[in-house]
Amino acid sequence: MPPSPPSGFEQDILAFIQQPEYQAIKPRNMAKRLGVSKKHWEAFTAALDTLQKRGELRMSPSGRVMPKSPAGLVGGVLRKRSSGVGFLIPQEPRPEGVTGDIYIAPPDLGDAHNGDTVLVRLLRRPGPKGQPAGVVVEVVERATNVFVGVYHEEDAQGYVTIDGKNFQEPVWVGDPGAKGAREGDKVVIEMIRFPTQHQTGEGVLTRVLGPRGEPGVDTLSVIHEFGLPEEFPEDVQEEARIEAENFSEDNLQGREDLTGVLMVTIDPADARDFDDAISLQRSDDGHWHLGVHIADVAHFVQPGTALDREAQARGTSIYLPTKVIPMLPEVISNALASLQEKRVRFTKSVFIEYTPDGLPVHTRFANSAIKVNRRFAYEQVLPLIEGTGDGGQGTAEGGGRRAEGQGRNTAAPAKIRKLLSEMRELAMLLRKRRFAQGSINLELPEIKLEFDADGRVSGAHEQVHDESHQLIEEFMLAANVAVATSLADKGLEFLRRTHGDPSEAKMRAFAEFADSLGFKLKNPQSRHELQRLLERVAGRPEERAVNYALLRSFKAAEYSPNDVGHYALAVQNYCHFTSPIRRYPDLTVHRLIDAIVTGNPTSRGPSGEELLRLAQQCSSLERRAADAERELTNLKLLAYLESRIDTEMDAVITGVDRYGFFCRGVEIPAEGLVHVTTLSNGDYFDYDKAAHTLTGRRSGEVFRLGDKVRVRVVRVDVDRRQLDLRLVRHEKRKGGASRPPEKNGGSPHSGGNRPRGGPVDRSRPGHRPKGQAKGKKGGGKRRKR
């Protein structure tokens, strides 16, 4: 059946995007160009949705409107490897017969680069492994035109060597000394002509960041490389100041007054934004009455305001080593909305009633006002509960520095000790029930970096995650589940936090890997079987190997309006509600709660395709924040090791490939490559992808994911993000032989410092991001669920 003829806005949109000079733009910019008024915005977006569903236009990963792909071409995002080859990740729906990624040889890339949205023509010849191959015919949208690199001069001309491995040759930037750049400076350029295999790239130097290696230059480099926001615009700051002027602790109109209810906050010792507080009571029938009270950011950030637009554009607070880039101005995030001790603050409250054994029986919501009785650092809580501390000193990392506001030598009153004790009792009940339902708990250590006054790595320590963390974790999870379940029961569309079921193929491969270690899995899709496996390997040499491999078998969690459930948490309905100070999806959920509490349906926010685009945007911004944090952490670790060539360190194998294995330090979590050619003189190693192993044909030695090794640092290239390691010793595995110490000599091959597998979900219990660096300002609240 032929599509219905375009009409109204549909016809205008099609005519606009079919112009030869059309460049992909976002819907709001298109509406402005077409003269669409505010009252017609919904009709305009509905027309876009209709055209997209009919396949007459496409949306780019960044939310720009693009014409449909020409016949015979495949659209998608390009991922380029350091070897120079590329792979196209096709957009859905995929062409018939194309199930995986499309291989693109270096000569067929043209001037396309990593992250670009491109159109590819399929070739008749296959790729080197028999996969579909193609050639780039058009770059539809650049991932970025802005790059960071090191400036140098040659033959009276300026050049910039771009950081990383995506650009093999320097980019010409014209006459020397532009913007006052000096040899060796870190600079920012805007690419005018992208390089190809046959043509040098050309750029314009736009900013000098400072001499390479100077304090703070690495942070500025990552900020510009990832396009991270910096200062808030003046109109946003002004709106925040107005909200501060209008706020009154005495005006509780329309709010449930909970200022007399006993409640506490528990946070990292160095936190500055406190977005959750807990109250708990028991009734005469033994039922628990839990109150989770979350900062009412929605009261201060109204839809359509400059504050709201900026928060949506940022999507999340970004926690870089030594620096926090907040989603909201600090007058809101660290003051108005922050649940400070002894201050009246506005909250969204979730009240959940549980039976004595932890079964939820009733949930209600309220706009409320609270006054926190005591603020605790995590380190204070267990000593208080167990009677070994008085709660008067809050310290960071277990020693030395007192938490702000917690330096008083005042013992916690008996009623607060009782509250904390009952909080632990309920939390452990909820935790036991959650695991009984199939929730999966991965045990991977989290290393926290330590920095000197200049922001350079000075050391590291393993992060403690005890019952004080678990009790807050359980209450945050409970609130998120309760909110999502209530919204779903009311038939409302909302931003869910979803985690899809892992693919059967990946789980079969994981089962083969577990079998190679001596652990049988009859049904690898069963969460309860996976739980039993994790319990069996706990404390054994295979523990890390199994946890790493299982993590890599899982999909990544994301935001979506679609009801696909959350696999790792074993729940059907889940959302993020508990951190609106630092996450925009939480703010959208708060507005829905407002609509329920006040009965005002206008507070509900976006729906349909608009909600889907918002979900994609928030997921993308979350990934950008995580990538930027990982990149800067990596930079600082490489800078730390740059002056420590020949240093030996204990490490764990985190990835295996045919050309060698990657491993990460135990005490200093830098990750580098041990190239296969350095492993043994004259031996040849076979790579088993399913088993994650390299096996020596002559020696029989097996290097497996999760193995413990001792390695030596032989080469560091900070600008190319490269760390080469040499094996010193391979810890003896049962049934195998340990490797003798290495002979002197460095690695003749360049390695790679690839990103490790990220967390399935930052909200998922039992797995916390590794290598987290403590910022000099801002708090660690993002580790709550």
Side-chain angles (χ1 to χ4, degrees):
M1 180 178 177
S4 58
S7 60
F9 283 129
E10 296 176 24
Q11 188 172 356
D12 293 341
I13 293 168
L14 287 176
F16 188 73
I17 66 176
Q18 288 167 1
Q19 297 176 92
E21 67 275 13
Y22 174 74
Q23 296 289 324
I25 57 176
K26 293 195 172 183
R28 288 199 178 274
N29 291 335
M30 180 179 290
K32 188 175 181 180
R33 300 256 192 106
L34 293 175
V36 178
S37 62
K38 287 185 178 179
K39 70 178 182 179
H40 292 134
W41 169 248
E42 287 190 10
F44 176 76
T45 56
L48 282 174
D49 295 343
T50 300
L51 292 171
Q52 185 179 4
K53 288 175 182 175
R54 292 208 304 248
E56 296 186 62
L57 59 76
R58 296 174 295 129
M59 301 300 294
S60 76
S62 63
R64 287 177 165 82
V65 183
M66 302 188 301
K68 66 180 181 180
S69 300
L73 300 182
V74 183
V77 176
L78 178 68
R79 294 299 176 208
K80 192 175 176 183
R81 294 186 177 175
S82 58
S83 60
V85 304
F87 289 88
L88 181 79
I89 304 172
Q91 293 173 334
E92 301 294 344
R94 292 169 178 256
E96 186 176 349
V98 176
T99 56
D101 299 339
I102 298 172
Y103 172 85
I104 305 173
D108 297 328
L109 286 169
D111 66 350
H113 285 276
N114 190 55
D116 290 350
T117 301
V118 299
L119 291 176
V120 166
R121 175 169 50 82
L122 292 176
L123 301 174
R124 291 184 178 179
R125 69 172 190 269
K129 296 182 181 179
Q131 70 270 61
V135 56
V136 174
V137 298
E138 182 185 346
V139 176
V140 177
E141 182 183 5
R142 292 289 184 188
T144 182
N145 289 311
V146 177
F147 299 91
V148 176
V150 178
Y151 177 81
H152 61 94
E153 295 175 4
E154 184 178 336
D155 297 331
Q157 296 291 304
Y159 292 89
V160 173
T161 300
I162 306 298
D163 288 353
K165 302 174 185 176
N166 285 325
F167 295 88
Q168 303 301 317
E169 300 295 332
V171 174
W172 180 75
V173 292
D175 295 335
K179 297 284 184 180
R182 299 181 179 180
E183 192 84 16
D185 277 352
K186 279 282 186 179
V187 299
V188 183
I189 71 164
E190 185 168 340
M191 196 78 73
I192 296 175
R193 185 180 67 227
F194 279 75
T196 69
Q197 279 208 319
H198 312 291
Q199 188 177 43
T200 301
E202 179 180 350
V204 174
L205 197 155
T206 59
R207 183 169 175 178
V208 177
L209 301 179
R212 178 188 178 279
E214 285 293 301
V217 171
D218 54 358
T219 300
L220 287 173
S221 297
V222 169
I223 287 174
H224 286 277
E225 178 182 343
F226 286 87
L228 305 182
E230 296 185 84
E231 298 300 321
F232 286 96
E234 180 54 35
D235 61 339
V236 174
Q237 296 275 25
E238 179 61 21
E239 284 190 6
R241 287 191 288 267
I242 291 172
E243 291 294 337
E245 292 170 5
N246 292 338
F247 176 69
S248 170
E249 293 187 4
D250 300 321
N251 182 7
L252 306 186
Q253 184 177 359
R255 293 188 174 271
E256 191 169 327
D257 187 352
L258 304 176
T259 55
V261 176
L262 183 66
M263 60 182 68
V264 297
T265 62
I266 304 175
D267 298 278
D270 57 348
R272 291 176 63 188
D273 56 327
F274 314 114
D275 49 16
D276 57 85
I278 301 296
S279 63
L280 182 63
Q281 299 168 334
R282 293 196 81 168
S283 52
D284 293 339
D285 59 1
H287 280 215
W288 303 90
H289 299 269
L290 172 68
V292 178
H293 313 279
I294 306 300
D296 192 356
V297 175
H299 174 79
F300 304 104
V301 183
Q302 295 294 319
T305 60
L307 268 170
D308 181 53
R309 288 192 295 272
E310 184 68 15
Q312 183 175 334
R314 294 182 176 223
T316 179
S317 294
I318 303 169
Y319 294 79
L320 301 174
T322 72
K323 182 179 179 66
V324 174
I325 302 175
M327 184 180 80
L328 296 168
E330 290 191 355
V331 69
I332 292 178
S333 62
N334 291 352
L336 293 182
S338 187
L339 308 185
Q340 298 165 340
E341 184 178 291
K342 308 298 186 186
R343 304 298 298 270
V344 175
R345 288 293 183 260
F346 293 170
T347 52
K348 289 278 191 292
S349 294
V350 180
F351 299 96
I352 311 173
E353 181 183 351
Y354 294 96
T355 62
D357 59 352
L359 181 69
V361 293
H362 180 67
T363 300
R364 74 176 182 92
F365 309 118
N367 285 330
S368 56
I370 69 168
K371 184 186 287 186
V372 172
N373 296 79
R374 284 292 293 269
R375 176 211 161 188
F376 292 103
Y378 282 119
E379 295 79 10
Q380 295 173 281
V381 174
L382 279 185
L384 269 174
I385 294 173
E386 295 170 353
T388 59
D390 64 6
Q393 295 184 355
T395 60
E397 289 81 60
R401 185 160 62 84
R402 291 179 178 178
E404 182 183 347
Q406 293 297 315
R408 306 181 302 277
N409 290 318
T410 55
K415 62 181 181 179
I416 288 193
R417 291 174 181 265
K418 180 175 182 290
L419 171 62
L420 293 174
S421 180
E422 290 182 341
M423 285 170 59
R424 178 168 76 164
E425 185 180 349
L426 175 59
M428 295 306 107
L429 278 174
L430 298 182
R431 190 173 180 84
K432 182 179 179 181
R433 180 174 291 276
R434 182 163 60 82
F435 289 136
Q437 291 173 344
S439 186
I440 293 175
N441 186 60
L442 291 183
E443 291 294 344
L444 293 170
E446 177 184 356
I447 304 298
K448 191 168 185 178
L449 300 181
E450 299 161 358
F451 298 94
D452 62 19
D454 290 328
R456 296 187 174 97
V457 174
S458 59
H461 62 271
E462 187 167 336
Q463 190 83 330
V464 175
H465 187 77
D466 59 20
E467 285 188 358
S468 65
H469 296 77
Q470 292 169 8
L471 68 87
I472 293 298
E473 181 178 81
E474 293 305 322
F475 295 153
M476 297 303 106
L477 288 171
N480 287 338
V481 171
V483 168
T485 301
S486 295
L487 295 178
D489 288 347
K490 293 179 184 299
L492 296 174
E493 289 187 272
F494 61 100
L495 281 185
R496 297 170 179 266
R497 183 64 171 182
T498 63
H499 181 219
D501 291 358
S503 73
E504 290 187 14
K506 284 197 172 184
M507 294 311 294
R508 281 196 303 270
F510 172 73
E512 291 178 19
F513 172 70
D515 185 60
S516 72
L517 297 176
F519 301 98
K520 295 285 186 182
L521 273 177
K522 292 181 179 179
N523 179 13
Q525 293 288 123
S526 165
R527 280 185 288 249
H528 291 288
E529 273 209 57
L530 294 175
Q531 280 183 327
R532 287 192 290 271
L533 171 64
L534 294 173
E535 290 170 1
R536 288 174 64 194
V537 301
R540 298 181 55 158
E542 300 88 355
E543 180 178 19
R544 286 191 177 183
V546 169
N547 277 270
Y548 277 128
L550 183 55
L551 176 64
R552 293 182 176 207
S553 303
F554 284 170
K555 294 178 179 177
E558 62 183 2
Y559 296 108
S560 172
N562 300 320
D563 181 9
V564 299
H566 198 295
Y567 177 81
L569 290 176
V571 293
Q572 188 59 40
N573 297 304
Y574 191 72
C575 70
H576 277 168
F577 163 79
T578 53
S579 295
I581 289 177
R582 62 179 177 87
R583 291 188 305 226
Y584 192 79
D586 302 53
L587 178 55
T588 68
V589 171
H590 274 230
R591 289 169 178 162
L592 285 168
I593 297 298
D594 231 16
I596 293 172
V597 171
T598 64
N600 182 3
T602 60
S603 303
R604 290 184 178 180
S607 59
E609 291 295 325
E610 188 176 355
L611 186 63
L612 176 60
R613 284 195 290 271
L614 180 59
Q616 293 169 340
Q617 176 186 330
C618 289
S619 295
S620 176
L621 292 172
E622 179 189 40
R623 288 191 295 270
R624 180 184 71 168
D627 290 345
E629 177 195 347
R630 183 164 49 243
E631 181 78 351
L632 185 53
T633 299
N634 188 30
L635 272 176
K636 289 185 176 294
L637 288 169
L638 290 174
Y640 175 81
L641 292 174
E642 193 175 28
S643 61
R644 291 168 172 80
I645 301 298
D646 288 331
T647 296
E648 291 186 5
M649 60 183 184
D650 293 324
V652 175
I653 295 178
T654 55
V656 181
D657 216 315
R658 62 183 70 254
Y659 48 81
F661 61 79
F662 294 89
C663 57
R664 183 169 64 251
V666 173
E667 295 183 354
I668 296 295
E671 188 173 51
L673 175 72
V674 176
H675 200 276
V676 68
T677 57
T678 69
L679 291 177
S680 179
N681 293 327
D683 204 354
Y684 185 89
F685 284 80
D686 293 315
Y687 169 57
D688 187 329
K689 184 176 181 180
H692 300 277
T693 59
L694 283 173
T695 304
R697 290 184 180 179
R698 179 173 53 82
S699 64
E701 186 170 19
V702 180
F703 295 94
R704 180 182 279 108
L705 181 72
D707 278 3
K708 295 178 181 179
V709 293
R710 188 166 181 83
V711 293
R712 182 168 64 88
V713 177
V714 295
R715 183 172 177 268
V716 178
D717 189 331
V718 177
D719 296 326
R720 288 180 61 80
R721 316 296 197 256
Q722 185 170 304
L723 172 62
D724 288 346
L725 303 170
R726 185 74 179 263
L727 183 69
V728 175
R729 185 173 61 254
H730 182 199
E731 185 170 303
K732 187 174 182 180
R733 177 178 286 275
K734 187 176 180 180
S738 63
R739 177 176 173 75
E742 65 162 340
K743 295 180 180 179
N744 291 332
S747 167
H749 294 271
S750 61
N753 197 27
R754 70 173 184 180
R756 60 187 179 274
V760 172
D761 191 348
R762 288 179 182 267
S763 73
R764 181 163 54 79
H767 180 76
R768 300 166 303 284
K770 304 166 288 303
Q772 167 55 25
K774 180 182 68 179
K776 287 184 179 177
K777 53 182 188 174
K781 288 297 297 240
R782 68 202 182 101
R783 297 307 173 210
K784 287 194 179 174
R785 309 316 188 203

